[in-house]
Amino acid sequence: MKISEIKDILDAEVICGEEFLDRDAKSAFGSDLMSDVLAFAKEQSLLLTGLVNPQAIRTALMLDMPCVVFVRAKKLSDEVISLAKESGVVVLSTDLRMFETCGKLYAKGLKGSGEVDE
């Protein structure tokens, strides 16, 4: 699914990386525990999280994730935004809670990380 579609489905704000909205996310993984993301998420997944520190961006980079969606209208520090910009990671922000965010994307056809082949 294109990141631009994800943005529209979630009525999300683009924080940075607008030039990369044509990238694809193969699946999605939602968690505030970056250790779970590292252990269970697949590469090229979309990361959905409420964790607003640089570790979320670093985790996305380790798994070659094209986009991080911050849920619950979390406010990001300049450090997080700067790291995402430098790394070419798209950052979106939505007012939705994690459960709603996952549900909306799943209903539109984006599968969870455990449901796709690598």
Side-chain angles (χ1 to χ4, degrees), residues 74-117:
K74 295 285 189 140
K75 301 298 178 208
L76 305 175
S77 69
D78 292 338
E79 179 185 11
V80 171
I81 295 168
S82 178
L83 180 59
K85 283 181 181 177
E86 290 170 15
S87 306
V89 174
V90 179
V91 173
L92 303 177
S93 176
T94 183
D95 293 339
L96 300 172
R97 293 174 186 230
M98 180 78 77
F99 182 80
E100 297 167 300
T101 302
C102 294
K104 283 184 175 237
L105 293 172
Y106 193 84
K108 292 292 185 174
L110 188 62
K111 299 298 183 193
S113 256
E115 298 177 276
V116 296
D117 297 326

Side-chain angles (χ1 to χ4, degrees), residues 22-60:
D22 63 335
R23 290 182 180 165
D24 285 311
K26 294 181 180 180
S27 60
F29 193 90
S31 182
D32 290 344
L33 295 172
M34 295 303 106
S35 58
D36 280 357
V37 177
L38 289 169
F40 303 111
K42 299 256 188 340
E43 290 188 0
Q44 294 296 308
S45 290
L46 173 72
L47 176 57
L48 308 166
T49 189
L51 182 71
V52 291
N53 69 38
Q55 281 308 109
I57 303 301
R58 289 189 185 102
T59 300

